[in-house]
Amino acid sequence: MNMRDPARAYRELAVRSASPVGLVVILYEEVIRCLRRALDSVQRNNIERRTTELSHAILVIGHLQSVLDYEQGGDVARGLANFYNSARSKILECTGPQSQELLESLAVEFSSMAEGWQQVDRELNQQAGAEPEPTMAGAVPVPVLRGGEARRQRAAR
């Protein structure tokens, strides 16, 4: 871990100890950070930084889409795929000062979705024996994620 950058060290530790759903939350948070930095760059007229941040956001969104399990996730996975496709299209539209509102809107959308994933993570931790947390009806089910850990969690239910 790089102790010269405490924020980075903290994120690295969070990734190492996160559940599969927790990793999704971390990726959403990264998209939000990229969108906020891009918004700041638009406001400062820093085109190079805006482009870098938006490119990174698109890559992270692409990764989120690549781990969707359409077979197990069904309509939820398809809905998330549509959300990711729409978000990437909107990001590509962010080319000038007029993009500030769109970037803010995207950051709010990803924040809202991240909250849902955080709730799913809390519920899974609760089921695994962690401290009880309040539940939210209609949470996104884990089967939308591809990967061995998600499958083991489903099998354990």
Side-chain angles (χ1 to χ4, degrees):
M1 271 191 281
N2 182 353
M3 295 311 291
R4 292 183 188 184
D5 184 354
R8 182 181 180 127
Y10 174 79
R11 285 191 306 269
E12 288 176 8
L13 180 61
V15 166
R16 285 190 187 115
S17 61
S19 67
V21 175
L23 291 172
V24 171
V25 172
I26 290 169
L27 291 173
Y28 271 73
E29 290 169 347
E30 181 63 18
V31 170
I32 295 163
R33 274 192 296 277
C34 290
L35 294 171
R36 298 266 184 228
R37 288 188 299 248
L39 178 59
D40 180 65
S41 299
V42 168
Q43 293 165 344
R44 295 174 188 266
N45 202 29
N46 185 337
I47 296 168
E48 183 178 347
R49 182 170 177 230
R50 180 204 67 208
T51 302
T52 299
E53 296 298 341
L54 294 179
S55 294
H56 186 67
I58 288 171
L59 286 172
V60 174
I61 293 167
H63 179 72
L64 283 163
Q65 193 165 13
S66 75
V67 297
L68 291 174
D69 186 335
Y70 296 96
E71 183 180 316
Q72 294 292 317
D75 289 340
V76 174
R78 283 186 288 283
L80 286 168
N82 289 336
F83 171 70
Y84 298 147
N85 285 333
S86 174
R88 288 193 308 209
S89 293
K90 289 176 183 177
I91 288 171
L92 292 173
E93 294 174 23
C94 295
T95 58
Q98 72 280 7
S99 64
Q100 291 181 33
E101 188 175 306
L102 185 53
L103 286 170
E104 185 60 41
S105 173
L106 281 166
V108 168
E109 287 181 58
F110 271 92
S111 293
S112 176
M113 296 287 286
E115 288 174 16
W117 283 108
Q118 288 167 337
Q119 182 64 37
V120 169
D121 198 35
R122 283 191 293 272
E123 289 177 5
L124 289 173
N125 287 335
Q126 179 183 352
Q127 290 173 5
E131 299 241 346
E133 300 262 350
T135 60
M136 176 180 82
V140 178
V142 174
V144 301
L145 302 175
R146 219 179 306 146
E149 185 63 29
R151 291 190 202 291
R152 282 191 295 278
Q153 287 179 352
R154 284 193 306 272
R157 286 192 223 165

